[in-house]
């Protein structure tokens, strides 16, 4: 048992409060992690703002890295002392989808309950109230107990912030390109929305050898950053004139439009733009997550007649144990400049301010640093 500091929301739609909580020792199949860094992802903001309802009280954060302090029964003791990145979708390894190798679709993940595999939490308030951990890992905390299948050791030399980003934004964006869509060498690609996820799609497209990478955002500074990550062309989006944005993307790609358009916002209008910009045979890949209940639409005849496709991409089709070390090695080899996504480092107490910046579309990736 130890005391920890964590950013907690009482329930979805409420501001975070920094609380001192009690954290029990890891149980069987669990790992105690000293958190080192945690990214501020728009999915946290969806929960914070009540777009997605989650039970509470709950510790925020799902894009994190740390160092293993202790392991529970049945977990390899060699892990102690290792730097690790955390998966926000700890696989159960026994359900049908896990057995098919599609862990990103696991139906038995403890993440679904924001608790450990046995359905209980290791976190309590001083008065004994149980506190959940977002997606079982609640990374906005000084320490956490997490499922062992969420823990992926990092190679030497990977900075904590880079490991944290591999835990969500990088795996989601790079994986959407190289795993979900399997973009081939020489294809043309557009990315709509250049937050941490969309910028990772840009990096993934560069890694895949796309011949054109068209960066699309309402914010000029984001477009400039995309250029540093491999974007070759850009379109400054006009949200009130989606037809103009579509025409600009098509003109920039040539050949009737980009082979692949990635939507990394989660907005019905930009989802329609992603489909609308496709040439015959093109593929729209939906990466951004909308508020619950939202629908997007497109004209059906040309979609079918032109043999177009739409793919949904969850977690970049990540199998964390295999893909996280690959992304880390690509970073170390200079092929994924993940550190360039980071535009701010902050303390846990500044989280609400970080959410304000993210809500205004002004942040690339802001990283909470947990003091050692
Ligand atoms: P972010 O808020 O950092 O980035 C969104 C970007 O979109 C910003 O740069 C905005 O300026 C830009 N933008 C907003 N409106 C428009 C518009 N109309 N036209 C063009 N650009 C616009 O978010 P993020 O990168 O952290 O996350 C993006 C989405 O991805 C979000 O919905 C998040 O929940 C989702 C996500 N999905 C998965 C998954 O597994 N599919 C994983 C992680 C995050
Ligand atoms: Zn995320």
């Amino acid at each position: 048992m130890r005391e920890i500091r964590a950013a907690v929301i009482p329930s979805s739609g409420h501001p975070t409060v920094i609380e001192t909580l009690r954290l029990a020792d890891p149980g069987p199949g669990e790992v105690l992690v000293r958190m080192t860094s945690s990214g501020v992802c728009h999915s946290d903001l969806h929960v914070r703002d009540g777009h997605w309802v989650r039970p509470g009280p709950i510790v925020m954060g799902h894009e994190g890295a740390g160092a293993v302090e202790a392991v529970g029964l049945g977990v390899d003791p060699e892990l102690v002392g290792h730097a690790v990145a955390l998966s926000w979708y700890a696989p159960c390894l026994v359900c049908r989808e896990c057995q098919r190798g599609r862990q990103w679709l696991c139906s038995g993940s403890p993440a679904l309950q924001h608790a450990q595999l046995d359905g209980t939490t290791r976190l309590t308030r001083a008065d004994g109230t149980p506190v959940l951990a977002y997606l079982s890992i609640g990374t906005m905390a000084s320490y956490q107990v997490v499922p062992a299948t969420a823990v992926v050791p990092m190679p030497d030399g990977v900075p904590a912030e880079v490991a944290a980003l591999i835990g969500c934004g990088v795996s989601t964006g790079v994986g959407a390109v190289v795993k979900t869509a399997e973009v081939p060498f020489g294809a043309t690609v557009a990315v709509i929305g250049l937050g941490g996820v969309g910028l990772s799609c840009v990096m993934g497209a560069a890694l895949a050898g796309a011949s054109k990478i068209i960066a699309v955002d309402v914010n000029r500074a984001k477009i400039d950053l995309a250029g540093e990550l491999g974007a070759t062309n850009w379109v400054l989006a006009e949200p009130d004139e989606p037809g103009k944005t579509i025409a600009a993307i098509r003109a920039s790609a040539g050949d009737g439009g980009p082979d692949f358009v990635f939507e990394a916002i989660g907005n019905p209008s930009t989802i329609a733009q992603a489909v609308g910009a496709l040439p015959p045979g093109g593929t729209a890949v939906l990466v951004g997550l909308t508020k619950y209940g939202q629908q997007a639409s497109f004209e059906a005849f040309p979609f079918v007649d032109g043999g177009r496709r739409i793919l949904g991409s969850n977690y970049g089709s990540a199998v964390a144990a295999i893909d996280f070390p690959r992304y880390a090695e690509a970073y170390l080899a200079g092929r994924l400049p993940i550190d360039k996504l980071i535009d701010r480092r902050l303390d846990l107490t500044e989280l609400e301010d970080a959410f304000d910046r993210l809500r205004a579309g002004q942040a690339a990736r802001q990283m909470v640093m947990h003091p050692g």
Side-chain angles (χ1 to χ4, degrees), residues 140-196:
M140 303 282 188
S142 49
Y143 288 81
Q144 267 296 11
V145 167
V146 303
T149 59
V151 169
V152 182
M154 286 284 99
D156 287 345
V158 176
E161 301 97 306
V162 168
L165 284 165
I166 288 172
C168 183
V170 167
S171 293
T172 299
V174 176
V177 177
V178 303
K179 297 202 69 189
T180 311
E182 297 181 319
V183 167
F185 179 81
T188 53
V189 169
V191 180
I192 309 179
L194 303 171

Side-chain angles (χ1 to χ4, degrees), residues 41-43 46 52 88 168 172 192-198 216-219 222 237 239 264-267 270 287-289 313-316 358 361 363-365:
C41 172
H42 209 114
S43 296
H46 281 305
W52 307 341
W88 55 250
C168 183
T172 299
I192 309 179
L194 303 171
V197 173
V216 187
D217 203 288
V218 291
N219 181 332
K222 298 296 187 64
I265 302 166
N267 171 328
T270 44
V287 185
L289 291 160
S313 183
N314 186 37
Y315 211 168
L358 188 59
R365 242 349 174 228

